[in-house]
Amino acid sequence: MVRRALEGIYLQEVQQSSKYDKLARLYAVTPDIVPYWLTFEHHGLGECVVVRSAKDTWETGKTGNGGKRLPRKRFLPEIEPLEKQVSTINACLLAHPLEFWDGREFAWCRRIFNNGRLDQGGRLYGPWQTESEHDRLCSRIDGEDVCEIDLKASYPSIINATLGNEGLGPDPYSTIDFVQEDPTKRAWAKDLISAHVSSKRGLSQFPRGFRAKHNLHKKDKIDTYKNGIFASLPFLRDIHKSGVNWMYVESEFIVSTLESLARQDIPAYPVHDSVICKQSDKETVINVLQNKMAEYFGTYINLDIAFLTEDGEIIEETPANPKYLKANTPPKFSFSSYDWGIDDDPVLIE
């Protein structure tokens, strides 16, 4: 009776109870009724790997919060080693929470696969990822300042690396003609490439919300920008014929990196294609990232490191890649050819 009186006014349900992990129903509480001395500790429980069914996207003219969560038992035993990986990462994060400037703490992430498969999607998600870069860089771990280490142009760089091509240079987006003409359109190129790679069959129209976000004119056509991208990065044109889910490839690399760091008790918080770590751990994290690049892609991808100055300004620097490859085995993700034809598709070596 008391709960019913509070619901909708002071309590908002944000998560239903779970039969799988036996967790209680979760509510958000109006701050006005919470005493200032009330604190909570992270328990680290809950499903750390979730597989969702296929969902509608902007391509179908519909959007949603994602596909339906599918039963864990459907993916046994293959899901168990994936759960162990994320549990190892979370155990380290729980021991070293990410402390935001406003008192919030984060210490747990979840890996989510898409389309009812364990080789689709697979990124790690945590609530800190929705915060601005500036706010993330204002946070601390163990009371220490942090930095964010980012894969430069993640999708094109990873795809190019797995094909065995030469490096794309420090900024692949800057080679595109419309970006050279107007550097402010670099964000256009980044968003369009990400949408193209993530789409099922490539872009036939601007992604939903793209025109409003970038203030496009009605006469702007998607083909103009697609042709500019493909002229500079031609390997992106027919990637959908390969059948490879590039988000999964990226996620495998990031998860393996974080697991390796966690085993050394070095906390690193994922932000899709980048990681947040203590500035004092920066060199170790870069070294592990580069070793994993050699292991997974057979080459190195450029990195960006962002951190805050004492005045609160974001500064970026680019570390040098090793001169020699640190791997003696074939890369985990590689293509035997670059012929996306129907009769001779490339083979993914794992």
Side-chain angles (χ1 to χ4, degrees):
M1 185 174 180
V2 174
R3 188 192 71 198
R4 288 199 298 270
L6 292 174
E7 282 181 335
I9 302 176
Y10 299 108
L11 298 178
Q12 302 292 332
E13 184 178 332
V14 295
Q15 179 177 294
Q16 295 180 346
S17 59
S18 171
K19 294 180 180 178
Y20 164 69
D21 49 35
K22 297 181 174 59
L23 291 180
R25 187 177 300 168
L26 188 62
Y27 290 93
V29 183
T30 302
D32 295 342
I33 67 170
V34 180
Y36 71 91
W37 45 261
L38 186 63
T39 60
F40 299 91
E41 292 185 359
H42 298 282
H43 51 61
L45 301 176
E47 287 181 287
C48 57
V49 176
V50 172
V51 186
R52 297 187 180 278
S53 61
K55 64 177 181 178
D56 289 323
T57 66
W58 57 268
E59 292 179 290
T60 61
K62 303 176 183 178
T63 57
N65 295 322
K68 181 181 179 181
R69 185 166 64 177
L70 299 174
R72 173 181 178 269
K73 62 182 179 182
R74 186 180 300 183
F75 302 96
L76 290 172
E78 291 79 9
I79 198 171
E80 292 177 322
L82 304 176
E83 292 171 332
K84 289 181 180 178
Q85 273 189 307
V86 182
S87 294
T88 297
I89 295 168
N90 281 338
C92 183
L93 301 188
L94 286 165
H96 307 277
L98 184 66
E99 309 151 0
F100 265 62
W101 58 272
D102 57 4
R104 288 177 297 160
E105 286 189 353
F106 304 111
W108 191 81
C109 61
R110 171 180 289 171
R111 192 173 187 187
I112 299 179
F113 290 91
N114 304 326
N115 301 323
R117 298 177 53 149
L118 294 176
D119 61 354
Q120 302 276 305
R123 276 179 168 175
L124 293 166
Y125 292 90
W128 59 87
Q129 295 172 354
T130 60
E131 305 293 331
S132 68
E133 181 185 26
H134 188 276
D135 282 356
R136 294 197 302 266
L137 292 174
C138 283
S139 62
R140 292 189 157 206
I141 300 174
D142 297 336
E144 297 184 30
D145 291 338
V146 303
C147 60
E148 189 164 327
I149 305 175
D150 175 71
L151 270 67
K152 194 82 171 182
S154 174
Y155 276 150
S157 295
I158 286 175
I159 296 169
N160 184 68
T162 59
L163 294 172
N165 296 333
E166 293 184 4
L168 294 177
D171 186 10
Y173 300 129
S174 66
T175 64
I176 300 171
D177 55 6
F178 64 81
V179 176
Q180 293 178 345
E181 295 170 3
D182 183 357
T184 64
K185 292 183 178 179
R186 184 181 183 279
W188 296 26
K190 183 176 181 179
D191 286 354
L192 284 173
I193 289 174
S194 179
H196 171 71
V197 173
S198 301
S199 65
K200 294 179 180 178
R201 292 173 293 274
L203 296 179
S204 58
Q205 59 183 349
F206 286 114
R208 184 168 182 164
F210 186 88
R211 285 184 177 276
K213 178 180 178 180
H214 296 291
N215 297 316
L216 266 68
H217 193 276
K218 289 183 178 180
K219 65 181 181 181
D220 286 319
K221 304 296 182 183
I222 181 67
D223 286 345
T224 303
Y225 299 101
K226 283 171 55 178
N227 292 337
I229 290 170
F230 295 151
S232 296
L233 306 171
F235 56 88
L236 293 177
R237 183 184 296 275
D238 295 319
I239 57 172
H240 298 89
K241 294 180 181 179
S242 71
V244 178
N245 185 272
W246 295 104
M247 185 184 291
Y248 169 72
V249 173
E250 177 198 84
S251 73
E252 281 285 281
F253 164 72
I254 292 293
V255 170
S256 181
T257 298
L258 298 191
E259 181 188 21
S260 179
L261 290 167
R263 292 189 184 281
Q264 302 176 57
D265 196 34
I266 297 176
Y269 284 76
V271 189
H272 304 321
D273 59 354
S274 63
V275 297
I276 302 169
C277 67
K278 293 187 286 189
Q279 290 191 24
S280 61
D281 289 333
K282 179 181 68 173
E283 297 304 324
T284 302
V285 174
I286 290 173
N287 185 257
V288 173
L289 279 165
Q290 290 173 335
N291 287 340
K292 289 296 180 180
M293 289 175 194
E295 176 186 346
Y296 275 69
F297 310 129
T299 188
Y300 297 115
I301 294 172
N302 289 315
L303 296 171
D304 265 346
I305 305 172
F307 57 92
L308 290 183
T309 65
E310 292 183 357
D311 297 328
E313 181 184 357
I314 297 177
I315 299 295
E316 292 186 355
E317 60 182 35
T318 301
N321 284 322
K323 293 183 179 179
Y324 304 102
L325 197 63
K326 297 181 181 179
N328 298 318
T329 58
K332 182 172 182 179
F333 291 110
S334 177
F335 291 97
S336 59
S337 67
Y338 181 41
D339 179 358
W340 307 105
I342 296 174
D343 298 326
D344 186 20
D345 285 340
V347 178
L348 185 63
I349 301 172
E350 293 192 66

